[in-house]
């Protein structure tokens, strides 16, 4: 039993380490109808802090905030499950204030967010609503829906602004792309899945032990509804461990797709 106990202890120690070993990712996303003026536009996508749980989630968030403070972005967008226990409301409020001191910050709620998250997030929280910002002379729409809006598909469809030069949707669940009609948004940001959080290697790839069935686990995907980025998030839920699923903060740089032509959302 001693070798088994030693292996279990080593695995737990590594998983605690990995839970705060934040990957600072930089990805380019080519969009079909991105105006040339917005080529190089950058978004810091953060998700799933799960603050307030018994975990190392606060350390992971701090690493991401420091990166944001030392790197340049045009916007910071947060895709839910940010505050899991009210006791961490001040910590979330402080983190958002640090981001807002440098950037425009917009967010949505996730299925684990407690009521106090609304107060902590403040202006920029999108619930069945959108904001339009002028960036480099172009009209950029940022829309967001709450975690129950999978049952209100029409709300998300109607939010899409056909006059916007760039349409971005924030939604906690990645499978929103299965509900929306084609070309609803140019870019869709989501989280929720934690990359599986605890994964086991197999000859066929990772066996992901959280959210066993998903179409898009992490990274950038082209879907009929729009280009999708799924963040592995920064925190953990249920257990304070990660294995083969490092937390991440992701800087997305938008690029023009060659030969693209603007098109309105399809209703």
């Amino acid at each position: 039993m001693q070798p088994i106990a030693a292996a279990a202890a080593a695995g737990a120690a590594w998983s605690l380490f990995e839970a705060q070993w934040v990957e600072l990712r930089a990805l380019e996303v080519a969009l079909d109808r991105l105006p040339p003026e917005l080529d190089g536009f950058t978004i810091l996508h953060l998700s799933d802090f799960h603050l307030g749980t018994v975990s190392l989630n606060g350390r992971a968030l701090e690493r991401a905030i420091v990166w944001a403070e030392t790197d340049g972005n045009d916007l910071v967008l947060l895709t839910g499950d940010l505050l899991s226990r009210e006791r961490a409301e001040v910590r979330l409020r402080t983190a958002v204030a640090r981001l807002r001191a440098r950037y425009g910050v917009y967010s949505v709620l996730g299925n684990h967010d407690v009521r106090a998250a609304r107060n902590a997030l403040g202006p920029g929280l999108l619930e069945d609503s959108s904001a339009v910002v002028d960036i480099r002379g172009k009209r950029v729409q940022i829309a967001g829906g709450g975690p129950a809006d999978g049952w209100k598909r029409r709300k998300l469809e109607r939010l899409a602004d056909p006059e916007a030069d760039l349409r971005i949707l924030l939604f906690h669940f990645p499978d929103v792309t299965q509900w929306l009609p084609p070309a609803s948004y140019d870019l869709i940001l989501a989280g929720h899945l934690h990359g599986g959080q605890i994964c086991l290697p197999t000859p066929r790839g990772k066996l992901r032990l959280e959210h066993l069935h998903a179409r898009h686990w992490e990274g950038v995907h082209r879907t009929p509804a729009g280009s999708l980025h799924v963040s592995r998030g920064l925190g953990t839920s249920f257990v304070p461990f990660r294995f083969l699923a490092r937390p991440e903060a992701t800087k997305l740089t938008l690029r023009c797709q060659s030969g693209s032509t603007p098109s309105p959302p399809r209703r």
Side-chain angles (χ1 to χ4, degrees):
M1 293 296 294
Q2 288 183 351
I4 296 176
W14 173 264
S15 298
L16 281 171
F17 168 75
E18 187 171 318
Q20 56 186 313
W21 185 25
V22 180
E23 183 177 3
L24 306 177
R25 304 184 74 191
L27 300 175
E28 291 196 349
V29 184
L31 299 181
D32 288 336
R33 60 173 222 112
L34 187 72
E37 293 86 350
L38 295 180
D39 187 75
F41 177 79
T42 60
I43 295 167
L44 180 62
H45 180 196
L46 304 177
S47 193
D48 295 84
F49 305 166
H50 287 280
L51 292 176
T53 60
V54 178
S55 65
L56 299 173
N57 295 346
R59 293 187 185 182
L61 175 59
E62 177 64 20
R63 181 72 183 92
I65 297 295
V66 170
W67 187 44
E69 290 175 331
T70 56
D71 195 52
N73 297 280
D74 291 301
L75 285 175
V76 176
L77 302 179
L78 316 176
T79 50
D81 276 5
L82 308 175
L83 184 65
S84 295
R85 298 288 186 276
E86 292 190 2
R87 60 177 173 246
E89 179 183 351
V90 172
R91 189 162 201 169
L92 177 59
R93 189 189 300 273
T94 300
V96 172
R98 288 169 64 183
L99 292 170
R100 193 168 283 135
R102 292 177 57 90
Y103 309 111
V105 179
Y106 296 90
S107 59
V108 293
L109 299 175
N111 56 303
H112 282 274
D113 279 307
V114 296
R115 184 176 301 177
R118 287 182 172 85
N119 295 329
L121 292 169
L125 174 61
L126 303 173
E127 297 183 272
D128 300 327
S129 61
S130 70
V132 175
V133 294
D134 183 283
I135 297 179
R136 305 177 193 174
K138 294 298 176 180
R139 181 182 174 91
V140 176
Q141 182 197 25
I142 307 156
D149 288 340
W151 308 109
K152 308 176 210 172
R153 165 179 163 175
R154 284 291 176 187
K155 282 191 174 184
L156 298 179
E157 291 179 36
R158 288 194 293 265
L159 279 177
D161 180 359
E163 303 301 320
D165 298 298
L166 175 65
R167 296 185 294 272
I168 302 172
L169 174 66
L170 311 183
F171 198 78
H172 184 60
F173 302 113
D175 59 1
V176 67
T177 57
Q178 300 173 47
W179 312 329
L180 293 169
S184 295
Y185 293 89
D186 301 297
L187 180 65
I188 300 166
L189 304 184
H192 183 58
L193 300 176
H194 301 191
Q197 188 168 315
I198 297 175
C199 305
L200 302 178
T202 75
R204 295 186 178 183
K206 293 180 183 179
L207 174 62
R208 304 173 194 255
L209 299 185
E210 185 173 11
H211 306 293
L212 296 177
H213 303 288
R215 182 169 295 187
H216 304 298
W217 283 102
E218 58 183 277
V220 177
H221 307 270
R222 291 181 67 86
T223 78
S227 291
L228 169 70
H229 178 254
V230 184
S231 172
R232 292 194 301 266
L234 287 164
T236 59
S237 60
F238 302 111
V239 293
F241 305 119
R242 281 182 179 260
F243 191 75
L244 299 181
R246 287 174 62 185
E248 71 168 307
T250 311
K251 180 176 183 175
L252 303 173
T253 300
L254 307 188
R255 296 297 184 190
C256 295
Q257 183 79 32
S258 60
S260 63
T261 55
S263 61
R266 299 179 190 175
R267 300 291 185 178

